[in-house]
Amino acid sequence: MPLLEPKPGALRPAATGAPSPDRVAAARAPGTPEPLRGDLIALLGPDKVLHTLSDLVRYASDASPYRFVPQVVVLAEDIDDVSAVFSYAHGKGRHVVFRAAGTSLNGQAQGEDILVDVRRHWSGIEVLDGGTRARIRPGTTVLRANAALARHGRLLGPDPASAVACTLGGVVANNASGMTAGTTRNSYRTLASVTLVLPSGTLVDTADPAADAELAHAEPELCAGLLALKATIEADRDLVARIRAKYEIKNTNGYRLDAFLDGSTPAEILRGLAVGSEGTLGFIAETVFDTLPLDRHTSTALLFFPTLRAAATVVPRFNAAGARAVELMDGNTLRASVSVAGVPADWADLPKDTTALLVEFRAPDEDALRAWEQTAERLLDDLELVIPVGSVTNAFTRDAGTIAGYWSARKAFVTAVGGSRPAGTTLITEDFAVPPDRLADACVALRELQVLHGFDAAVAGHAAHGNLHFLLTFDAARPDDVARYAAFMEEFCTLVVDRFDGSLKAEHATGRNIAPFLEREWGPRATELMWRIKRLVDPHGILAPRVLLDRDPKAHLRGLKTIPRIEAVADPCIECGFCEPTCPSQDLTTTPRQRIVLRREMLRQPPESPVNDALLAAYGYDAVDTCAGDSTCKLACPVGIDTGAMMKDFRHLRHSPREERSAALFARHFATVERAARLAVAAARRIDDRLLESATDAARKAVRPDLVPRWLPQIPGAAARTLPATTRADAVAVYYPACVNRIFGGPACDLGPPLPEAVVAVSGRAGKPVWIPPDVTGTCCATIWHSKGYERGTVVMANRIVEAAWGWTAGGRLPLVVDASSCTLGIAHEVTPYLTPANRALHAELTVVDSVVWAARELLPHLEIHRTTGSAVLHPTCSMRHLGDEAQLREVAEACARDVVVPDDLRCCAFAGDRGMLHRELTESATAREAAEVGARTFDAYLSANRMCEVGMDHALGRPAYHSVLVELERATRPPTATG
């Protein structure tokens, strides 16, 4: 063990109560049992089999109220892997469940045996026919697919609120629809073809003209059985009528029986059955969607009504007027959404019964939108609208920011309400549909039923389509609470089916919560047909047992997960998974959600549990060390949970008092450290890279990998010993070169002057001269210490930089321009909790400006562009996302290049100061997709705004390429007569 390796027990949680009833059993501590583990490793290889207890527990939770711990997790890379697992499961009598994003709300992504991850290696989109169609792999998020289609003025029909995280495989498997899809734009209606791996291993591409002939040859009994089922259904006129009626409103409960009416061949029937099948009939290996026009002209209003009924009553009028979306949010939803960024704070004071409708019109051109708006305005004159708080306008707007705020509140329904639930309670999310003209009555009836059973629930939904969602919370560890929930579900299903002839599942697929009630809605005749479908396609029952079909009337009460209290920063998490696509470590170790899931399992356990011993042994590296600490999870989370902050706190907990003292000493003598570091970098450039890598590797083994950086060939040379000469007299801003730019120079290739010289030059050319204080050496934004959890060092440097900046800026009269985005974020925001009260007051007077913003706002209007480059690719840093500076980066880049590209697969590079040298594998994993996209084309310029992020991207590309956009701006504005 390395000399300073932290003890895993430092993160052992203190017992807070009795062990949870759903805790992982001690016998599971060793992980995947034999011979399962050995069999799958021999079959697939060790890199494709996750078998430690930590692996199993982190995959055991999704966005639902259920939790089932798999026996093993397989990372399938291709169709051959999937077929091999199917064959193994058949031969050994085992079961298989697929998991992609894990955003399912009813346990569809959980299994108790073999769980197959089909996200990691299954992303990609090919735009076809000018954008009118798209071939999409199942691990691709809806957001990523729409980003590619937007360039062609197209988008997908399904638009679930979880689009940032959910994948197309899951969207099809659950027939997820969303805000505008309804029954005409959902997966069933817009899926042109699908490639399926059947449980037998047979591959079916329903778009292939030879698909039926090949299927008949490979699966004659299946083909005959599908056609026999079609004949049986079509011979029953009452059943045909019932099926057609059921799908006039949104319905995802059970198999799509209308597939037998809409498809004329076995392949066509399979295409329809795949939609909403929840992984029970085969693996969706690829999809081809018919896309829809992206109507860019939008007008939106958030209209407030005194009651739920009042709002629901007017929905048909907006439908008739042509609204693309009519979304409902009740008072509980509106009040909970104040935790979402951009939502007015006064919504917290809304009266209990207040309800809002989010109404949106979209059009292909200005004239069409104006006509919609005129129609809508006439409608408003007759509505019973209220203005309960000052921020309410009850008016249509085209302002993009306002509209985005409205939609953020609506899309955060589950997460915002779930985040505000009582601590320790489990969240249930259900959705159902009724005929739209019965919506008002259904709203009132649902509310009365909730009150009857003691639930103060939140209600929202796609009102235009008669589709309501509601959230309930209860304590799954208390039998009386579970019984109360069970009684509610019985009466709820009776209400929806008997009173409204509605759908028990409108868009979230059947799932574990509604499977026991399938026959209640469809009746015995149709339900038995669904069982026949399952036996026909999956005769050995290997796929997803009990997910869609279950004869146990209490199945929905099995596997309910408890939610033990954890650290306050993460306790509101409902495990929705919205954070995962942005996480740099998602393909290496754990995601923010998984870090929280693992922590909760530790709190379920009794003291000194062998399960906790196993989890803690892995948690240090899997969760704490390989967290980039970039906190982009906070930006992705609708309620702003910052798992990165929790990991920094855990790093602090692992520090010994001696380490904290050493870090503080390091901060106090940082001027000496800075000079030594620059000299060391200069000396290192004269030594062979391989020798340096060997030396640092040896030191890492002896001391601690998380303390000693590993040398990378992409590390730049040393910065100049002196900074550019400037004068204070005429300066309009103070320029603070970050310590990273005082230690490291620019790229080895000749791309222009060093960054400090470039900033001084372009500022002067714009008539905005800047001054570099002579005593910047020894100061820092404190991120070095803060990111590693060294609190004492952070306190020292945070107060030093604020006191210095106060003096440099003449008490805040001049702006402080910082040339590294992470340092801008550190000085502007992250130092605040560590300041003394006096320095916090000084900090409040400072104006901290990122150099890119300085260039966009203050310099560009006064600069003359003399030369531009052809193309540039940008790497906006995660700090820029926190600061909201991405638009300014693009603005400056567009002044320098004629074609500017931001990669669709952009992600935090995870270099995080020196973390990319401490854990090189983290940066390599985080940048893999972006590097592949960037490397597929040659650009004239590779631009960013943080030196170490540029190094990280250079490492990803394998060559020096990235440099500051300010250096490029200097080149673009350099007078033609200038040299160099």
Side-chain angles (χ1 to χ4, degrees):
M1 177 180 287
L3 181 64
L4 297 178
E5 189 72 8
K7 302 294 189 294
L11 299 182
R12 186 180 297 276
T16 57
S20 299
D22 63 332
R23 66 188 180 279
V24 174
R28 301 291 305 272
T32 300
E34 295 291 2
L36 179 61
R37 172 181 169 182
D39 286 351
L40 288 177
I41 288 176
L43 181 67
L44 303 168
D47 292 339
K48 298 178 183 179
V49 181
L50 301 181
H51 55 78
T52 70
L53 180 65
S54 179
D55 293 328
L56 306 184
V57 171
R58 65 189 173 96
Y59 272 93
S61 293
D62 59 11
S64 78
Y66 298 99
R67 195 172 78 103
F68 294 99
V69 181
Q71 292 290 325
V72 68
V73 178
V74 170
L75 301 175
E77 289 188 5
D78 52 33
I79 287 173
D80 288 342
D81 287 344
V82 173
S83 296
V85 171
F86 282 179
S87 178
Y88 177 81
H90 177 202
K92 299 292 185 179
R94 307 202 73 108
H95 300 131
V96 179
V97 170
F98 298 108
R99 179 188 178 109
T103 56
S104 57
L105 295 168
N106 289 97
Q108 299 97 312
Q110 297 180 41
E112 299 170 81
D113 197 359
I114 301 173
L115 188 69
V116 182
D117 181 311
V118 289
R119 177 197 61 82
R120 185 175 300 187
H121 300 294
W122 295 86
S123 65
I125 175 172
E126 179 186 3
V127 178
L128 306 171
D129 302 335
T132 59
R133 292 188 304 142
R135 187 185 312 279
I136 311 173
R137 304 193 75 206
T140 308
T141 66
V142 174
L143 183 70
R144 173 66 178 85
N146 278 335
L149 289 169
R151 300 190 185 95
H152 304 272
R154 310 290 291 186
L155 83 169
L156 296 172
D159 61 340
S162 57
V164 66
C166 68
T167 61
L168 266 300
V171 167
V172 173
N174 291 286
N175 197 18
S177 49
M179 316 295 176
T180 65
T183 59
T184 59
R185 298 161 62 100
N186 61 14
S187 294
Y188 187 79
R189 299 299 178 193
T190 61
L191 183 69
S193 66
V194 64
T195 299
L196 286 171
V197 183
L198 298 178
S200 62
T202 299
L203 187 68
V204 183
D205 178 0
T206 65
D208 187 344
D212 281 297
E214 293 177 358
L215 188 61
H217 176 74
E219 305 271 0
E221 292 183 5
L222 172 61
C223 290
L226 290 172
L227 293 176
L229 279 168
K230 176 178 173 66
T232 297
I233 292 171
E234 290 180 332
D236 188 333
R237 295 178 58 185
D238 291 341
L239 180 59
V240 169
R242 181 61 177 159
I243 291 171
R244 290 301 190 195
K246 289 295 293 178
Y247 292 114
E248 287 181 0
I249 62 174
K250 294 173 73 171
N251 191 327
T252 60
N253 196 13
Y255 292 123
R256 289 286 308 211
L257 293 180
D258 56 346
F260 292 95
L261 304 179
D262 298 330
S264 59
T265 71
E268 291 176 358
I269 294 169
L270 282 175
R271 184 215 69 85
L273 284 176
V275 179
S277 61
E278 302 176 63
T280 63
L281 300 180
F283 169 56
I284 298 171
E286 188 174 80
T287 62
V288 176
F289 274 87
D290 292 323
T291 66
L292 300 169
L294 175 59
D295 293 332
R296 299 181 186 273
H297 297 264
T298 303
S299 184
T300 310
L302 190 62
L303 307 175
F304 286 75
F305 296 82
T307 65
L308 187 59
R309 177 181 282 280
T313 299
V314 304
V315 169
R317 299 173 67 180
F318 283 110
N319 285 344
R324 179 70 57 84
V326 185
E327 295 292 304
L328 181 144
M329 293 179 279
D330 77 345
N332 284 345
T333 302
L334 293 166
R335 286 186 293 276
S337 66
V338 296
S339 60
V340 178
V343 171
D346 62 4
W347 284 15
D349 301 322
L350 287 169
K352 180 178 178 58
D353 293 332
T354 300
T355 303
L357 291 180
L358 174 55
V359 182
E360 184 164 282
F361 291 88
R362 299 179 192 172
D365 54 53
E366 174 67 26
D367 290 342
L369 183 63
R370 189 178 301 110
W372 289 127
E373 287 177 324
Q374 290 172 353
T375 301
E377 290 295 340
R378 288 193 293 271
L379 271 178
L380 295 187
D381 293 337
D382 297 329
L383 300 184
E384 185 188 358
L385 298 175
V386 294
I387 304 178
V389 292
S391 65
V392 172
T393 63
N394 288 329
F396 279 87
T397 179
R398 298 187 184 186
D399 180 73
T402 303
I403 294 172
Y406 291 163
W407 280 111
S408 293
R410 171 60 189 92
K411 291 181 179 181
F413 165 62
V414 174
T415 50
V417 177
S420 64
R421 74 193 186 284
T425 58
T426 297
L427 181 72
I428 294 278
T429 305
E430 273 307 335
D431 85 302
F432 68 102
V434 299
D437 61 359
R438 303 286 310 277
L439 179 67
D441 290 339
C443 286
V444 173
L446 174 64
R447 178 62 59 79
E448 290 174 349
L449 186 63
Q450 291 168 342
V451 171
L452 177 66
H453 289 275
F455 291 110
D456 185 18
V459 178
H462 316 308
H465 311 292
N467 178 191
L468 289 176
H469 303 257
F470 62 89
L471 303 178
L472 307 175
T473 62
F474 65 95
D475 188 343
R478 292 176 48 190
D480 60 325
D481 243 19
V482 174
R484 179 166 63 102
Y485 170 66
F488 170 83
M489 283 301 298
E490 287 288 341
E491 293 195 38
F492 162 72
C493 292
T494 299
L495 174 74
V496 172
V497 173
D498 294 349
R499 180 172 172 183
F500 295 102
D501 193 20
S503 307
L504 290 175
K505 277 293 186 181
E507 62 175 4
H508 294 166
T510 312
R512 297 179 183 273
N513 203 34
I514 293 297
F517 303 100
L518 179 64
E519 187 171 330
R520 180 84 61 88
E521 176 178 341
W522 277 98
R525 170 86 164 127
T527 303
E528 184 53 38
L529 288 172
M530 294 181 189
W531 279 99
R532 284 179 59 187
I533 292 167
K534 173 65 173 173
R535 289 192 295 267
L536 178 65
V537 181
D538 183 19
H540 302 288
I542 67 171
L543 295 184
R546 310 191 71 171
V547 166
L548 188 151
L549 296 170
D550 199 327
R551 297 193 191 275
D552 178 2
K554 296 183 182 293
H556 59 304
L557 307 178
R558 191 178 71 95
L560 291 169
K561 68 182 173 187
T562 61
I563 304 291
R565 297 189 186 191
I566 58 170
E567 284 72 13
V569 66
D571 194 57
C573 176
I574 63 165
E575 302 173 8
C576 68
F578 285 21
C579 56
E580 293 192 332
T582 192
C583 180
S585 59
Q586 62 174 295
D587 292 333
L588 178 68
T589 51
T590 58
T591 67
R593 169 169 61 177
Q594 291 174 339
R595 291 175 170 99
I596 293 170
V597 164
L598 289 166
R599 191 64 174 170
R600 281 177 170 159
E601 181 55 40
M602 295 178 199
L603 269 297
R604 291 188 182 99
Q605 294 292 323
E608 306 304 322
S609 159
V611 168
N612 272 359
D613 292 342
L615 295 180
L616 287 167
Y619 200 76
Y621 175 78
D622 287 353
V624 182
D625 292 346
T626 51
C627 173
D630 64 339
S631 294
T632 53
C633 51
K634 177 182 179 180
L635 300 176
C637 175
V639 294
I641 294 172
D642 190 348
T643 313
M646 185 166 78
M647 294 303 107
K648 292 171 190 174
D649 289 342
F650 286 167
R651 289 169 189 167
H652 172 67
L653 289 175
R654 296 193 306 174
H655 295 156
S656 67
R658 181 178 65 178
E659 288 177 300
E660 281 288 327
R661 289 194 299 270
S662 297
L665 183 66
F666 181 90
R668 283 193 289 269
H669 297 280
F670 189 62
T672 301
V673 173
E674 180 184 332
R675 295 187 187 99
R678 187 171 58 250
L679 291 173
V681 170
R685 296 314 311 173
R686 295 191 288 271
I687 303 174
D688 182 75
D689 285 330
R690 289 172 295 181
L691 181 60
L692 286 168
E693 286 188 48
S694 298
T696 53
D697 283 350
R700 286 163 58 81
K701 290 179 181 178
V703 181
R704 177 178 160 192
D706 206 49
L707 280 179
V708 180
R710 185 186 189 193
W711 180 260
L712 298 179
Q714 291 77 23
I715 298 297
R721 294 180 62 185
T722 59
L723 293 164
T726 57
T727 59
R728 184 171 189 171
D730 299 322
V732 299
V734 176
Y735 169 33
Y736 179 68
C739 65
V740 67
N741 295 319
R742 305 195 303 264
I743 295 172
F744 296 104
C749 47
D750 184 17
L751 294 171
L755 177 58
E757 291 185 18
V759 174
V760 171
V762 293
S763 297
R765 288 172 196 159
K768 304 279 187 176
V770 295
W771 172 63
I772 301 176
D775 56 344
V776 295
T777 300
T779 62
C780 172
C781 65
T783 301
I784 294 174
W785 295 267
H786 177 243
S787 65
K788 293 176 169 54
Y790 289 110
E791 289 193 2
R792 291 180 63 177
T794 304
V795 168
V796 170
M797 191 55 71
N799 285 279
R800 179 185 298 174
I801 186 60
V802 168
E803 291 168 3
W806 174 259
W808 296 333
T809 61
R813 286 192 287 274
L814 294 178
L816 183 74
V817 177
V818 185
D819 66 3
S821 57
S822 60
C823 303
T824 308
L825 180 66
I827 298 173
H829 301 287
E830 293 179 342
V831 300
T832 306
Y834 302 94
L835 299 176
T836 65
N839 284 340
R840 194 169 294 138
L842 299 184
H843 182 268
E845 299 297 324
L846 296 177
T847 301
V848 183
V849 181
D850 190 75
S851 58
V852 173
V853 176
W854 170 253
R857 293 178 180 171
E858 301 296 334
L859 306 186
L860 274 182
H862 307 286
L863 289 170
E864 183 177 355
I865 304 297
H866 297 290
R867 61 186 66 78
T868 57
T869 193
S871 61
V873 63
L874 303 186
H875 177 75
T877 69
C878 53
S879 297
M880 300 191 81
R881 289 185 59 196
H882 285 284
L883 292 165
D885 294 351
E886 294 168 286
Q888 286 82 6
L889 176 67
R890 187 175 194 117
E891 184 179 353
V892 176
E894 288 175 342
C896 305
R898 294 181 292 279
D899 177 27
V900 174
V901 173
V902 177
D904 288 335
D905 284 317
L906 172 74
R907 193 189 296 169
C908 171
C909 69
F911 210 83
D914 65 351
R915 193 146 296 269
M917 293 184 282
L918 296 172
H919 299 287
R920 185 167 76 175
E921 69 278 11
L922 175 59
T923 285
E924 290 170 349
S925 176
T927 56
R929 293 182 188 177
E930 182 179 356
E933 182 181 350
V934 172
R937 171 184 170 184
T938 299
F939 293 91
D940 298 309
Y942 299 77
L943 306 176
S944 190
N946 190 292
R947 191 70 195 96
M948 300 318 289
C949 296
E950 293 155 17
V951 171
M953 290 307 301
D954 286 351
H955 180 67
L957 288 179
R959 65 180 188 274
Y962 280 83
H963 58 281
S964 171
V965 71
L966 272 297
V967 172
E968 192 66 24
L969 182 64
E970 189 283 327
R971 190 194 74 84
T973 60
R974 194 182 307 157
T977 57
T979 60

